[in-house]
Amino acid sequence: MKQETQFTEKVTRRSFFEHIATGLQGAALTWLLQQDLYADSPSPEQQEQESVSGPHHRPRAKSVIHLFMNGGPSQMDLFDPKPMLDKFHGKEHFKQIAGEVEFPERAGALMKSPFQFARHGESGMWISDVMPHLAKQVDEITMIRSMYTTNLTHEPALYKIQSGSEFTGHPSLGAWVSYGLGSENQNLPAYVVLDDPLGLPVNGIENWQAGFLPAQHQGTRFRATGSPVLNLKPEFEQPASVTQLERDLISRLDRIHQRQRTYHHQLEARLSTYSLAARMQIAASDALDLSQETAETQKMYGIGQPVTESYGRRCLIARRLIERGVRFVQLFINSQIWDTHSAIASNLKSACQRTDQPVAALLQDLKQRGLLDETLVMWGGEMGRLPIAQLSPDKDARKSGRDHNKNAICTWMAGGGCETRAGIRRNG
């Protein structure tokens, strides 16, 4: 009796689970517990049988390329012409929308677009003259003019469109895709971010956070030039056999450390990240090596031209990544170049010059390679713009821009099973 009491005092619930976590006893306990844990769910055997038959419909998209346009592109100057703005240009309209204006002290009258619109393609889609390259790809596009958001300010609006919540701490869309599907290439992350070398977007790295999901599902930043990932390569060369011995030893030590700290849930994410980094040393460098592309392809993306070089490189890298099994690739622009509060005629044109040719080339390239049907391409920002002018402090109408509009956003999608108006016409 005395010996039994001493044994009971030494074995706590925590130490019990620590000691049976591995081996046959751990497997047996896992099987017993899962009978209660999944009592209302199909058994693993049933799930395996169901998975053999596949889902109830065949998914079209295998990967996503998200071309995020930080700042809020002006829908009525790009995709959504407003004849009534031409007719009532200069008329007072502030009273009707006063509650929706972020900077009421700078509000002006109704302002027509400084750009010209025309119909393009079989679909007859309206595109303004600042997007001449995209105009040639409109029959691959599904235009959505009915989107809206819930906040006038960039920071919460960005959280909203990235994660579905106005507040930080929630997983981004790419993190959910990584969590649910993983990567088809075990040597590359499921979720890759290609941010602008000129600087981070508003909200910084929180745009691709994992939130409450394990940390390995956050976006992995790749650089378009130089080393793809900082600190990825070792500082000095050594024989491959020595490197492998080091990795094996580190892995064993990591696992011992983890078993002794089962309560530290982030350890698994860290160990997975380190393991992926080791495998990425070759795969990431290969994916970002654009010298493997033809001169014709690089020219199509605008690589070699100062204005389109940066975004063109990243669009081409995005295509190379999804070819290698990456599930979700996200491209950002520095700061928020689409936030055209002033001089919209020149600022919006500048934003289009940086991105229009590379984006159109991406669609054309994906289609030529037979990848567009299984790749969903998304283009858009976090808000739209108002139909009235936003005046500069000196009230000079020539410097007019547009204020934020949370009630009207234009975005488009292509590929991945999206239905287009041209496709409907061709297929009857």
Side-chain angles (χ1 to χ4, degrees):
M1 184 69 181
K2 184 178 180 181
Q3 291 179 342
E4 180 178 332
T5 303
Q6 289 176 345
F7 177 77
T8 304
E9 289 175 351
K10 289 181 180 179
V11 180
T12 64
R13 182 176 62 177
R14 175 172 292 173
S15 64
F16 170 74
F17 281 106
E18 284 182 356
H19 285 87
I20 69 163
T22 59
L24 291 176
Q25 67 270 37
L29 180 63
T30 301
W31 185 87
L32 290 170
L33 292 177
Q34 66 94 20
Q35 304 303 310
D36 294 329
L37 184 62
Y38 297 107
D40 296 327
S41 303
S43 68
E45 291 80 8
Q46 291 174 315
Q47 291 176 347
E48 183 177 357
Q49 292 175 358
E50 292 173 1
S51 66
V52 172
S53 61
H56 66 280
H57 69 280
R58 180 177 176 271
R60 294 285 296 275
K62 295 181 180 179
S63 54
V64 177
I65 298 176
H66 188 192
L67 307 170
F68 193 72
M69 303 298 161
N70 339 331
S74 178
Q75 72 280 8
M76 64 201 65
D77 296 299
L78 297 174
F79 310 116
D80 199 9
K82 302 292 185 184
M84 299 303 285
L85 283 183
D86 294 339
K87 182 177 180 180
F88 294 107
H89 176 73
K91 299 292 184 180
E92 175 63 37
H93 193 69
F94 174 72
K95 292 180 181 179
Q96 289 87 330
I97 58 173
E100 303 296 335
V101 179
E102 187 172 34
F103 300 103
E105 70 282 0
R106 296 173 60 185
L110 289 170
M111 182 175 72
K112 66 180 181 180
S113 176
F115 309 114
Q116 299 298 314
F117 279 82
R119 291 183 178 273
H120 296 272
E122 291 183 44
S123 62
M125 187 179 295
W126 289 100
I127 301 289
S128 81
D129 57 8
V130 287
M131 288 188 159
H133 297 279
L134 186 66
K136 299 176 182 178
Q137 302 296 324
V138 293
D139 289 336
E140 309 302 332
I141 290 174
T142 298
M143 185 66 68
I144 305 171
R145 295 186 172 89
S146 56
M147 292 187 65
Y148 63 94
T149 187
T150 54
N151 199 298
L152 277 174
T153 307
H154 289 290
E155 288 79 2
L158 282 165
Y159 289 135
K160 181 77 172 182
I161 200 163
Q162 298 295 349
S163 69
S165 171
E166 289 186 17
F167 305 98
T168 186
H170 293 262
S172 63
L173 176 59
W176 279 117
V177 171
S178 171
Y179 178 75
L181 299 177
S183 177
E184 291 185 320
N185 186 332
Q186 295 305 306
N187 297 327
L188 289 170
Y191 178 17
V192 172
V193 173
L194 299 169
D195 57 313
D196 199 314
L198 294 177
L200 290 171
V202 172
N203 285 358
I205 62 175
E206 290 184 319
N207 285 286
W208 50 86
Q209 64 185 330
F212 47 75
L213 294 178
Q216 69 261 33
H217 299 297
Q218 68 185 354
T220 300
R221 293 171 65 187
F222 276 15
R223 300 198 304 172
T225 57
S227 178
V229 182
L230 294 177
N231 304 317
L232 184 62
K233 292 186 177 181
E235 295 182 358
F236 55 88
E237 296 293 333
Q238 60 185 11
S241 57
V242 175
T243 301
Q244 189 59 49
L245 285 172
E246 284 185 354
R247 290 177 182 173
D248 291 344
L249 175 59
I250 292 172
S251 178
R252 292 176 61 187
L253 293 174
D254 283 342
R255 294 303 169 187
I256 293 172
H257 183 77
Q258 184 184 24
R259 284 198 297 269
Q260 294 173 347
R261 294 162 179 81
T262 54
Y263 53 86
H264 199 328
H265 302 297
Q266 289 187 336
L267 278 176
E268 179 62 35
R270 290 181 184 175
L271 297 183
S272 298
T273 300
Y274 289 141
S275 177
L276 175 61
R279 300 194 303 272
M280 279 171 53
Q281 289 183 359
I282 296 176
S285 298
D286 175 70
L288 275 65
D289 182 8
L290 300 190
S291 66
Q292 300 176 21
E293 301 289 337
T294 65
E296 181 182 3
T297 297
Q298 295 190 43
K299 181 179 179 181
M300 180 174 68
Y301 279 89
I303 297 172
Q305 300 298 320
V307 176
T308 51
E309 165 77 22
S310 176
Y311 205 75
R313 290 183 67 87
R314 283 178 281 145
C315 282
L316 182 49
I317 288 169
R319 190 218 80 205
R320 292 177 62 83
L321 287 170
I322 64 104
E323 281 181 313
R324 288 159 172 77
V326 174
R327 293 287 190 184
F328 200 98
V329 183
Q330 201 166 29
L331 279 70
F332 285 90
I333 293 288
N334 61 298
S335 185
Q336 45 191 34
I337 66 172
W338 299 91
D339 192 25
T340 49
H341 285 283
S342 62
I344 193 169
S346 59
N347 290 336
L348 192 63
K349 184 177 181 179
S350 175
C352 291
Q353 287 174 335
R354 288 177 61 180
T355 58
D356 179 45
Q357 180 180 347
V359 169
L362 176 63
L363 295 179
Q364 182 180 343
D365 199 13
L366 288 171
K367 185 177 182 181
Q368 289 174 346
R369 295 170 184 270
L371 295 170
L372 189 57
D373 284 344
E374 60 186 36
T375 304
L376 178 64
V377 181
M378 304 190 301
W379 186 104
E382 73 273 27
M383 59 181 63
R385 317 303 291 189
L386 289 175
I388 62 175
Q390 183 172 0
L391 300 174
S392 58
D394 60 7
K395 305 298 182 182
D396 186 347
R398 295 171 298 181
K399 302 176 184 177
S400 296
R402 298 191 190 276
D403 203 349
H404 303 169
N405 186 350
K406 65 182 178 66
N407 298 313
I409 307 174
C410 271
T411 190
W412 58 257
M413 299 183 181
C418 289
E419 192 66 77
T420 64
R421 289 168 63 184
I424 293 173
R425 289 182 182 180
R426 287 194 293 267
N427 299 326

